[in-house]
Amino acid sequence: MTSTAEITVEVVEHDPHDGDAVLAVLAEAFQATAEMSPTPMPMTATPTSPSTSPPSGSGTMCRARSFLTMPEAAAVLRSAPAHLNQPVDVDILGPADAVEQARTLLAGVFTVQDLGWVSGEHEFETRLRLT
C-alpha cells in the first residue's frame, strides 16, 4: 500500500471494555475519522451458520468507526497481546490492501478467526472473530 486509505470497522461486542480494546489497537496505528453511536443488536442473530453467527446475549452492541490507514502503521504499533473477556466480531470494509493491513494489526494483538469475506469492484469486506 503506497497511500492513505479509509476503512470502516464495525465491532460487535458483548462487553464495552472488549470493544474499546479492539478499537484502541486500531486507533494506535491509524487515524480515527468518524465514530457512530453504539447500536443495540437483536437478541437472536440471523441464522447464517453456527460458526459465523455472533454469540447471542442481551448486552450485545454494535459500534462503527472509520480510520485512515497509513503505510507505516505496522511499524508504529506497540500494543502487547490483549485479553478479551468474550469474543468480539469485527467487520472491516475498504480497499483490499488497507483491510489486510488492519487484519494483520489485529492478528498481532488478538487471536483472529476468519469468518468470511466479500470482494467488490472497489472494496473488500472481511469478518473476523477476535478472542
Side-chain angles (χ1 to χ4, degrees):
M1 182 166 58
T2 60
S3 64
T4 303
E6 186 169 28
I7 59 170
T8 300
V9 178
E10 193 173 270
V11 177
V12 178
E13 63 193 33
H14 304 282
D15 179 338
H17 299 293
D18 290 341
D20 289 343
V22 172
L23 293 172
V25 168
L26 293 167
E28 184 177 333
F30 304 139
Q31 177 185 347
T33 59
E35 181 174 3
M36 295 173 45
S37 299
T39 305
M41 296 295 290
M43 294 270 303
T44 57
T46 304
T48 51
S49 79
S51 64
T52 61
S53 60
S56 62
S58 60
T60 305
M61 298 292 286
C62 179
R63 289 194 275 172
R65 186 174 292 174
S66 294
F67 295 92
L68 290 177
T69 63
M70 293 156 269
E72 67 279 358
V76 300
L77 185 66
R78 294 178 295 278
S79 292
H83 170 75
L84 298 172
N85 293 320
Q86 296 185 41
V88 175
D89 287 355
V90 177
D91 290 336
I92 308 170
L93 174 69
D97 288 347
V99 169
E100 181 56 32
Q101 185 182 20
R103 186 214 176 281
T104 300
L105 289 170
L106 291 171
V109 179
F110 305 100
T111 300
V112 173
Q113 177 186 1
D114 289 297
L115 299 180
W117 56 271
V118 177
S119 182
E121 186 175 336
H122 300 288
E123 292 191 328
F124 186 83
E125 182 176 1
T126 188
R127 173 166 287 177
L128 309 171
R129 178 159 295 150
L130 308 180
T131 54

